[in-house]
Amino acid sequence: MDSDLNLKATELRLGLPGTTDAISPPKNNKRSSPDSDSAPSPPKAQIVGWPPIRSYRKNNLAEAESGSFVKVSMDGAPYLRKIDLKVYNGYLELLEGLEKMFKLTIGEYSEREGYKGSEYAPAYEDKDGDLMLVGDVPWEMFESSCKKLRIMKASDARGLGCAV
Amino acid sequence: MAYSFPEEVLEHVFSFLSSDRDRNAVSLVCKSWYDIERWCRRRIFVGNCYAVSPEIVIRRFPELRAVEMKGKPHFADFNLVPEGWGAYAYPWIAAMEEAYPFLEEIKLKRMVVTDESLELISKSYKSFKVLVLTSCEGFTTDGLASIAANCRHLRELDLRESEVEDLSGHWLSHFPDSCTSLVSLNMSCLGSEVSFCALERLVARSPNLRTLRLNRAVPLERLANLIRRAPQLVELGTGAYSAEIRSDTFSNLADAFSACKQLKALSGFWDVVPSYLPAMYSVCSGITSLNLSYAAIPSSDLVKLISQCQNLQRLWVLDYIEDSGLDALAASCKDLQELRVFPSDPFGAEPNVSLTEQGLVSVSEGCPKLESVLYFCRQMSNAALIAIAKNRPNFIRFRLCIIDPQAPDYLTLEPLDAGFGAIVEKCKELRRLSMTGLLTDRVFKYIGSHAKKLEMLSIAFAGDSDLGLHHVLSGCDSLRKLEIRDCPFGDKALLANAAKLETMRSLWMSSCSVSFGACKLLAQKMPRLNVEVIDERGPPDSRPEGCSVERAYVYRTVASRQRLDMPDFVWTHDEDSSLRYS
């Protein structure tokens, strides 16, 4: 058997971080915030399907660890999405993320009137199971109490903005 | 002088044969035995749904009662098989509807099952009893509602680790009041809440219920009532194991557990509050199987629990157990046969727990019956592997995953060839092996020489050249499944061992050095092998000759090599024009 076939020259494979080969794109969708001066080192480039853990297990870990993955439903859409709240640094980024994910625009938030000027309003279910309007509480409180997100038709969301 | 027993006698004799191997052997004796056997076979197992077609199965076995089948290759679990590749259950379900009116059991693994299929199942078979869907996907809770509503004699509904689109928990309420036949219900993979009243009533009217695996949405406060209604349970999967710490909740739970005298297996344990673990202590001495792999419990609490379970045979746990916990395990659980340690923080750059190779060494030393291991860790040494092999020559399954896939021996910085070599050399009954770490062609030489009973081998980021693959294919006499990713294995070894591939169920190679030309050649040479080139970059012949394919999946088949459900990123041999892949 010819054992010195220099296969490396023609081989096409996913490289490991630190090697000169092409690296598969990082799995994390983490966006660094524009004014981060104490930015942590960039996430290690992750290899597809490595370590070999089933997604079922990975999802469970993520939820156990950070408790930050929440389902997002949109009225009228056939299936739900899931996002990791930890990825966002505040409401602005979250709403931008939702707008991108569902291809829609969410209006401007005001404490008095909720979301004005769009078809949709973002709501969430908190720990007690109540449906709340996104934006009313400080971000940290929202992050820890949000269990599920729901993008409602603004017409249905009218009632939520008026609890004063 | 020719003997011949009347058919009925032979049939009666064959009815004592339950193993597929025995029945297959019997059917090869002579034509009349083949005929008699095929009419009285009641169960079949199809390891690769594309190795055969529904028509062929139905033609040969007209009276089946139970069908078990697997679809996607194992690496699909790690997202290496693109969405839409195949393994659809519907064609099978549809074909069997007409052929097997008395079908009772369907067990599928890694297949795409639609609500339509589930509805068809629920309406087609009058005596349908068992539905097990392992790691399947493609259906919603609506499909489950059909099963619940229509299968009057349902005994088992087991959805282990399937990806179900959870529209609502309402499906459970579709079990009619007349349904009292349930023996096993596993809904642990579902997300949404079911009606607790409906669940309690269902459990209360199922006197034969032996296995109940709840989902995370069932809160701890509800667990006691459920268990109380089923003290005969043998296997219990809890829901979320957390609640505010209250003495009445605790004593309620403890009382309920103490009534379960038959409990052997426990699982579930999401969101564990350690203070509630002692509620289970009364059943621990009878527990043989414990799955804590979703439970973030500190090592000290784990140790307290495990040391109560002296009869433990199987433990699945997160690496929070640490080396110290594994030492305690080795000391308390002398009957341990299977250990799986999963990583709590697989993507973290630094270790978050103190779990090393030492834990595995301890367990291999202390547990004489240990035969099956799956171990995730961050460092390994040849010395440790050699010690483990010496301690436990009775290993049947040995799967080691080092988080950094090309990590060398952390003490000597050498490859881990010697360590794994010791494993295959000492463990003569080894049937399954997964390796990681820095590995050269040498380890494959050891495997080819020693691993004569090895049936399944998983390799990643290992080897130097085709020689490695050649050693495995030419040396491993019992090899059935070989899965390889990111290794410099290619055309030469593949083509030189073409005939070997037909003796195996399948070969998976992704991100290796296999060219399209070699795939074509292999398919031409071996008409009973389907050589699937799975490549999402477009037609393989649009790229230069030497370019490697993204993935090659090679499996033996007696069905057509141009399966009708092939997506546009899969190429196989075109029977019409021998050199062209369509």
Side-chain angles (χ1 to χ4, degrees):
Chain A
M1 258 311 277
D2 184 359
S3 58
D4 50 17
L5 299 168
N6 180 17
L7 290 169
K8 281 219 148 49
T10 55
E11 96 188 8
L12 213 97
R13 59 168 167 150
L14 297 173
L16 288 177
T19 66
T20 51
D21 293 330
I23 297 174
S24 66
K27 247 169 153 184
N28 247 333
N29 288 332
K30 227 171 174 76
R31 296 179 286 154
S32 52
S33 89
D35 52 348
S36 69
D37 38 30
S38 55
S41 53
K44 195 168 174 176
Q46 285 170 0
I47 307 162
V48 176
W50 194 268
I53 304 173
R54 306 197 43 237
S55 28
Y56 178 64
R57 221 167 254 296
K58 273 190 268 191
N59 292 342
N60 268 286
L61 281 180
E63 288 179 31
E65 213 172 74
S66 59
S68 62
F69 270 91
V70 294
K71 288 188 191 164
V72 189
S73 65
M74 175 161 117
D75 289 354
Y79 58 87
L80 285 66
R81 305 298 304 268
K82 218 164 194 187
I83 58 172
D84 180 359
L85 290 180
K86 276 222 150 52
V87 162
Y88 304 104
N89 290 314
Y91 284 121
L92 206 58
E93 281 191 27
L94 170 65
L95 295 176
E96 268 173 29
L98 290 176
E99 283 179 330
K100 275 211 186 101
M101 191 181 256
F102 291 93
K103 316 246 185 307
L104 44 77
T105 32
I106 298 174
E108 262 203 47
Y109 170 78
S110 80
E111 212 180 84
R112 262 194 63 93
E113 303 189 9
Y115 288 86
K116 284 213 76 176
S118 85
E119 243 192 290
Y120 294 99
Y124 70 100
E125 202 179 286
D126 72 356
K127 273 192 188 138
D128 303 321
D130 294 322
L131 193 59
M132 315 281 294
L133 189 70
V134 168
D136 286 340
V137 301
W139 172 255
E140 287 71 30
M141 195 184 286
F142 164 76
E143 239 192 315
S144 58
S145 61
C146 172
K147 288 284 160 243
K148 247 190 212 169
L149 275 165
R150 183 177 152 197
I151 301 182
M152 302 176 64
K153 286 245 149 57
S155 44
D156 295 335
R158 278 292 127 72
L160 288 178
C162 304
V164 177
Chain B
M1 188 165 103
Y3 290 101
S4 64
F5 288 114
E7 264 185 40
E8 299 79 35
V9 174
L10 279 171
E11 233 189 82
H12 182 70
V13 172
F14 294 168
S15 70
F16 294 100
L17 299 174
S18 50
S19 111
D20 279 341
R21 275 207 175 143
D22 291 342
R23 281 193 166 259
N24 291 343
V26 148
S27 65
L28 291 173
V29 167
C30 64
K31 246 186 148 260
S32 77
W33 280 37
Y34 174 91
D35 255 330
I36 297 168
E37 193 283 320
R38 76 184 186 89
W39 278 94
C40 67
R41 190 170 317 200
R42 296 283 174 266
R43 326 186 125 254
I44 54 158
F45 168 74
V46 178
N48 171 7
C49 64
Y50 290 123
V52 74
S53 72
E55 293 70 38
I56 296 174
V57 171
I58 292 170
R59 193 169 55 225
R60 179 170 175 189
F61 299 116
E63 302 269 331
L64 293 180
R65 298 273 185 279
V67 173
E68 187 179 341
M69 188 173 310
K70 295 186 179 180
K72 299 186 201 175
H74 175 236
F75 273 359
D77 284 356
F78 316 126
N79 301 327
L80 293 181
V81 177
E83 190 86 30
W85 172 78
Y88 302 105
Y90 190 77
W92 288 91
I93 310 281
M96 294 192 305
E97 187 213 357
E98 240 196 82
Y100 302 130
F102 302 111
L103 194 67
E104 295 177 0
E105 294 185 18
I106 294 178
K107 297 182 183 177
L108 305 175
K109 183 168 184 177
R110 283 193 210 98
M111 293 192 76
V112 178
V113 182
T114 55
D115 282 349
E116 218 184 347
S117 302
L118 292 177
E119 211 183 310
L120 199 53
I121 292 174
S122 75
K123 303 231 166 99
S124 310
Y125 310 112
K126 304 271 176 285
S127 14
F128 195 73
K129 299 199 170 73
V130 172
L131 182 64
V132 178
L133 301 174
T134 308
S135 306
C136 293
E137 50 164 354
F139 58 103
T140 77
T141 41
D142 282 353
L144 296 179
S146 306
I147 297 286
N150 302 319
C151 299
R152 306 271 167 99
H153 309 285
L154 195 66
R155 290 214 199 126
E156 281 183 48
L157 178 59
D158 186 334
L159 307 170
R160 49 184 100 152
E161 302 186 356
S162 289
E163 262 186 52
V164 185
E165 194 192 323
D166 213 321
L167 299 173
S168 87
H170 198 58
W171 66 275
L172 189 93
S173 310
H174 284 257
F175 279 110
D177 288 339
S178 53
C179 176
T180 56
S181 48
L182 267 187
V183 172
S184 168
L185 177 62
N186 179 354
M187 44 180 259
S188 55
C189 62
L190 297 178
S192 50
E193 237 176 55
V194 297
S195 150
F196 298 132
C197 287
L199 182 57
E200 276 175 28
R201 285 199 318 266
L202 179 61
V203 170
R205 66 174 184 275
S206 305
N208 299 318
L209 196 66
R210 293 280 171 275
T211 299
L212 178 64
R213 299 207 198 271
L214 304 168
N215 64 347
R216 195 174 188 168
V218 177
L220 192 58
E221 293 90 341
R222 290 279 177 174
L223 190 60
N225 281 348
L226 282 165
I227 303 178
R228 246 186 253 287
R229 285 166 168 72
Q232 76 282 8
L233 277 180
V234 175
E235 299 182 327
L236 171 70
T238 73
Y241 206 77
S242 68
E244 264 177 54
I245 306 196
R246 294 174 45 155
S247 59
D248 54 347
T249 314
F250 183 93
S251 49
N252 215 6
L253 189 58
D255 281 342
F257 267 118
S258 59
C260 296
K261 308 285 185 205
Q262 327 250 29
L263 213 46
K264 292 241 173 312
L266 287 171
S267 60
F269 300 108
W270 288 279
D271 314 316
V272 174
V273 165
S275 320
Y276 275 105
L277 288 173
M280 300 188 316
Y281 282 0
S282 60
V283 296
C284 283
S285 57
I287 294 295
T288 56
S289 167
L290 194 50
N291 182 352
L292 297 168
S293 60
Y294 298 107
I297 308 176
S299 182
S300 48
D301 292 298
L302 276 170
V303 168
K304 279 197 213 129
L305 177 61
I306 289 169
S307 36
Q308 310 261 336
C309 305
Q310 275 105 13
N311 289 312
L312 201 60
Q313 292 171 12
R314 179 201 295 176
L315 176 65
W316 290 22
V317 74
L318 284 170
D319 57 10
Y320 292 123
I321 195 171
E322 299 191 319
D323 287 343
S324 54
L326 290 174
D327 286 340
L329 176 68
S332 331
C333 304
K334 295 304 183 185
D335 272 351
L336 195 70
Q337 293 170 18
E338 179 182 328
L339 174 66
R340 295 196 191 190
V341 179
F342 295 96
S344 54
D345 185 17
F347 301 112
E350 296 301 320
N352 60 327
V353 291
S354 175
L355 179 107
T356 68
E357 79 282 8
Q358 198 41 53
L360 187 55
V361 174
S362 295
V363 181
S364 72
E365 240 172 59
C367 302
K369 301 192 187 162
L370 188 67
E371 59 179 28
S372 174
V373 156
L374 168 59
Y375 199 77
F376 281 82
C377 60
R378 287 175 185 262
Q379 67 187 39
M380 187 49 64
S381 66
N382 283 311
L385 284 170
I386 292 168
I388 291 167
K390 274 214 182 97
N391 291 335
R392 267 321 100 234
N394 46 322
F395 272 128
I396 294 179
R397 280 171 229 105
F398 190 80
R399 297 158 71 189
L400 181 71
C401 181
I402 309 173
I403 300 284
D404 174 0
Q406 287 185 320
D409 176 327
Y410 78 99
L411 295 168
T412 64
L413 297 183
E414 285 178 353
L416 289 171
D417 298 340
F420 281 106
I423 296 279
V424 293
E425 199 189 337
K426 294 281 188 317
C427 306
K428 304 208 188 298
E429 300 298 314
L430 197 66
R431 294 201 306 250
R432 183 169 180 181
L433 177 65
S434 303
M435 309 188 293
T436 34
L438 186 63
L439 296 163
T440 72
D441 282 348
R442 223 171 339 131
V443 75
F444 298 110
K445 190 157 188 225
Y446 297 146
I447 292 176
S449 328
H450 295 287
K452 297 303 180 186
K453 301 239 178 124
L454 194 65
E455 297 178 7
M456 181 169 179
L457 179 61
S458 311
I459 313 171
F461 301 99
D464 309 310
S465 73
D466 265 26
L467 204 50
L469 179 57
H470 177 69
H471 284 312
V472 171
L473 289 176
S474 56
C476 297
D477 300 333
S478 312
L479 200 60
R480 290 188 303 116
K481 291 180 276 184
L482 180 57
E483 46 184 26
I484 305 172
R485 62 164 295 180
D486 296 88
C487 296
F489 298 152
D491 301 350
K492 281 199 164 171
L494 209 56
L495 292 169
N497 292 282
K500 169 72 174 179
L501 298 178
E502 206 176 300
T503 69
M504 293 165 51
R505 180 186 297 173
S506 65
L507 165 67
W508 170 276
M509 291 179 74
S510 55
S511 307
C512 295
S513 312
V514 178
S515 72
F516 187 51
C519 292
K520 282 191 283 193
L521 213 58
L522 184 60
Q524 257 183 283
K525 225 174 149 181
M526 308 289 303
R528 295 286 200 182
L529 280 185
N530 199 0
V531 183
E532 289 196 13
V533 171
I534 305 169
D535 203 318
E536 291 173 287
R537 299 170 298 177
D541 48 16
S542 67
R543 277 181 292 281
E545 269 295 315
C547 193
S548 305
V549 301
E550 278 180 348
R551 309 164 192 86
Y553 183 43
V554 183
Y555 53 87
R556 64 181 174 195
T557 182
V558 294
S560 152
R561 299 201 285 177
Q562 291 255 279
R563 54 183 175 97
L564 297 172
D565 56 8
M566 240 161 51
D568 58 13
F569 51 81
V570 174
W571 283 268
T572 64
H573 181 83
D574 180 0
E575 311 287 359
D576 295 334
S577 97
S578 56
L579 281 176
R580 185 171 59 84
Y581 261 51
S582 70

